Amino acid sequence: MANFSELDRYLFGQATHYEIYRKLGAHFTDQYGIRGVCFDVWAPNAARIWVIGSFNGWDETADEMTRLEPDTMGIFELFIPGIEEGALYKYLIETKDGKRLYKADPYANYAELRPGTASAVTDIEHFKWTDEKWMEERAKTKDIYAKPMTIYEVHPGSWMRHPGREDDGFYSYRDLVKYLIPYVKEMGYTHIELMGISEYPFDGSWGYQVTGYYAPTSRYGTPQDFAYFINECHKHKISVILDWVPAHFPKDAHGLAEFDGTCLYEYADPRKGEHPDWGTKIFDYGKNEVKNFLIGSALMWIEHYHIDGLRVDAVASMLYLDYGKQPGQWVPNKYGDNKNLEAVEFFKHVNTLILGRNPGAVMIAEESTAWPKVTGRVEDDGLNFSYKWNMGWMHDFLDYMKLDPYFRKDNHHKMTFAMSYNESEKYILVLSHDEVVHLKCSMINKMPGEMEDKFKNLMVGYAFMMGHPGKKLLFMGQEFAQLQEWSEARELDWYLLENPDHKHMQNWVKKLLHIYQKNPALYELDSSWGGFEWINANDAERSIFSFIRKSKDGKNNLLFVCNFTPVERSDYRVGVPKHKTYKLILNSDDAEFGGSGKERPVNYKSVSQECDGRPYSFAYPLPGFGVAVFRY
């Protein structure tokens, strides 16, 4: 009896087989009372296929697969008795023109550690989850946008490493439970975003050139170890986001490229099917079986591994047919323009499906253009993502922060412009790994001036980011002002925390994160002018920004004042909307952040004195690069 039934074939052909990872690939099963593994692979244009592996001495003629009838879909199947957990295997595919291809299993749940490229037999069904309460609470979430979200972006292989080991010294998924989770909890992040989890062959791609869309990378342990890490994150009330890469895949011989001797997973026309800049293949989003492959991968991460969200990489490269291409290198759509209509429909399908089946989960777009309604509803012709990375804010912010403070007055608009379009999408403000690699400098070394000024610049920049509407993402190491650019080949420079300047920066970011979590004004109304109000957006001459963040109930609103020059303003006065007492809850001049430690009053009562166009105001001596946050 075939493992892959007629119903399976029908659903797969419609791109609606939502548990395809339980059918294609290698799965333990019993046939006629005999325990073994059933292998199923989709390869419609193959002439013959054999399963070769450690269990048959890699004998290329021992175990030939059978093409299931009717053969129009091209599913090949074979049951082999007696195979043990961890056995390695590949498919030997003979093409119709007589070539022989040695391919890893596209649906494998585990793989051999690189540089090996074989798939590995494993059972991912026997992990005992204990996060039922977390999953129930997630499913009951009525408004994801009214919840706090501060994301710690982590590349597991270079966050921390074991010293002196002969292998790579990677922390395993279980090591990360012991060390990463407590660190994230202590710092005050709400989410961990993991780079490079789907299996990939080349470390230097950071996991963005995937060969195993259904397999957690074996660099850090087994699928069960990975599940344990997620389970423990949930136990400690930390959400987990994974990077997911449906935009392209590498040309490695064992991978998806020309899988059965033809362009099976990619567009056949190289003008649609290849990224000339990246040397990779583009998925054929018009082919149902390919769409099902990607949809099944997304569903497996969220439904089987309990992942709380996917950050979708390189969305713009999928939406535009001419992305990274010169004239003659791309083909217009049926309307003659550059939109990939099949990719648009794919996003509408996958986002609606995942969010509909998994309330409380999120889909995040890394989309770098002005494509409209990325987070809009499908009914309004939107793509239905939960959030979009705000790359515009990031570029303007970094352009401003790099400037000598003397020239900031002429670029004041770079820090206020994002509010003019803030309501158009649901945004995440990001300072990601992409901003601290390839000669871009670390965050601290983007800052102008001598070392002391660099730290003060970065402190005020982080405070502005934390106060500005939008959820937050900060790449690992930047919270303590890593000096070097990031490299996947070494761990972060944790020794820097022995230096007081770096420790003060870590204290500052930690304080900002805890203030963020404790104050709904900073996250409840991120995409509405109801949650934000400029006090003075036009103080360009002094390069000071003052604004208010408001909560839904109007209680515990916050007033931010950020000075982006080294000039002390001892006569500074800030206008306020209400005749209230304003309580100082954050002062960058405190000793724990490397400031003077000079004592200041906690409470500031406003008086009837017009300032900043407001009827009330109070005086606050503002240090150079000073930040003050008040609650009222």
Side-chain angles (χ1 to χ4, degrees), residues 364-368 387-397 417-419 421-422 424-431 468-471:
I364 301 166
E366 188 235 346
E367 203 286 312
S368 53
Y387 292 103
K388 169 176 167 162
W389 275 20
N390 195 338
M391 312 293 274
W393 173 87
M394 179 269 296
H395 286 299
D396 288 344
F397 174 81
F417 180 60
M419 282 310 300
Y421 59 82
N422 185 61
S424 65
E425 302 278 8
K426 304 290 195 298
Y427 284 116
I428 298 176
L429 308 186
V430 293
L431 295 172
H468 193 287
K471 311 306 183 189

Side-chain angles (χ1 to χ4, degrees), residues 512-527:
L512 288 170
L513 290 166
H514 282 278
I515 285 174
Y516 175 90
Q517 273 209 55
K518 288 174 188 166
N519 290 276
L522 289 175
Y523 55 79
E524 279 187 336
L525 296 168
D526 268 324
S527 302

Side-chain angles (χ1 to χ4, degrees), residues 315-330:
V315 167
S317 75
M318 296 171 65
L319 294 173
Y320 297 97
L321 293 164
D322 59 348
Y323 186 91
K325 296 179 180 178
Q326 302 301 319
Q329 290 184 328
W330 63 283

Side-chain angles (χ1 to χ4, degrees), residues 8-138:
D8 292 324
R9 289 198 286 273
Y10 172 77
L11 293 173
F12 186 49
Q14 298 296 309
T16 56
H17 200 313
Y18 299 144
E19 292 193 341
I20 192 67
Y21 66 92
R22 289 194 162 105
K23 286 292 186 171
L24 289 177
H27 300 283
F28 285 104
T29 186
D30 289 311
Q31 289 202 7
Y32 307 108
I34 301 170
R35 183 74 170 160
V37 172
C38 193
F39 296 87
D40 288 85
V41 64
W42 175 58
N45 303 298
R48 300 170 75 184
I49 306 180
W50 292 264
V51 181
I52 58 174
S54 56
F55 43 83
N56 62 13
W58 302 94
D59 185 334
E60 298 189 355
T61 59
D63 293 301
E64 183 170 1
M65 304 183 83
T66 301
R67 189 174 186 129
L68 297 184
E69 298 293 339
D71 67 357
T72 49
M73 173 153 281
I75 301 291
F76 287 76
E77 186 172 290
L78 179 66
F79 173 77
I80 304 178
I83 293 179
E84 299 292 330
E85 180 107 12
L88 299 179
Y89 70 99
K90 279 189 179 181
Y91 296 120
L92 168 54
I93 299 174
E94 185 179 286
T95 66
K96 287 178 177 170
D97 59 359
K99 290 185 189 146
R100 291 161 78 81
L101 309 174
Y102 298 83
K103 293 289 187 178
D105 186 349
Y107 287 85
N109 295 129
Y110 193 37
E112 179 181 22
L113 180 62
R114 54 93 180 97
T117 56
S119 302
V121 175
T122 191
D123 180 1
I124 63 170
E125 302 293 347
H126 61 243
F127 181 78
K128 298 289 188 289
W129 293 91
T130 59
D131 64 347
E132 298 86 356
K133 190 170 180 200
W134 172 273
M135 298 299 284
E136 286 165 14
E137 290 297 318
R138 189 179 89 181

Side-chain angles (χ1 to χ4, degrees), residues 212-227:
Y213 280 80
Y214 288 78
T217 179
S218 56
R219 286 167 176 81
Y220 318 123
T222 66
Q224 288 72 29
D225 295 334
F226 176 68

Side-chain angles (χ1 to χ4, degrees), residues 535-553:
I535 292 295
N536 193 338
N538 302 308
D539 196 352
E541 200 56 40
R542 297 188 295 181
S543 298
I544 297 173
F545 299 86
S546 51
F547 56 86
I548 287 170
R549 293 301 307 275
K550 304 175 186 177
S551 61
K552 280 182 178 176
D553 61 11

Side-chain angles (χ1 to χ4, degrees), residues 396-451:
D396 288 344
F397 174 81
L398 292 179
D399 284 350
Y400 182 87
M401 293 305 301
K402 290 172 189 172
L403 291 169
D404 184 294
Y406 180 81
F407 298 107
R408 286 177 177 164
K409 60 180 178 287
D410 301 318
N411 292 269
H412 198 74
H413 63 283
K414 286 188 183 294
M415 296 290 265
T416 60
F417 180 60
M419 282 310 300
S420 69
Y421 59 82
N422 185 61
E423 288 187 306
S424 65
E425 302 278 8
K426 304 290 195 298
Y427 284 116
I428 298 176
L429 308 186
V430 293
L431 295 172
S432 76
H433 67 277
D434 272 329
E435 311 322 313
V436 294
V437 291
H438 296 329
L439 304 180
K440 290 183 181 177
C441 296
S442 62
M443 284 301 300
I444 189 71
N445 279 321
K446 292 181 196 294
M447 302 298 114
E450 298 294 326
M451 213 61 209

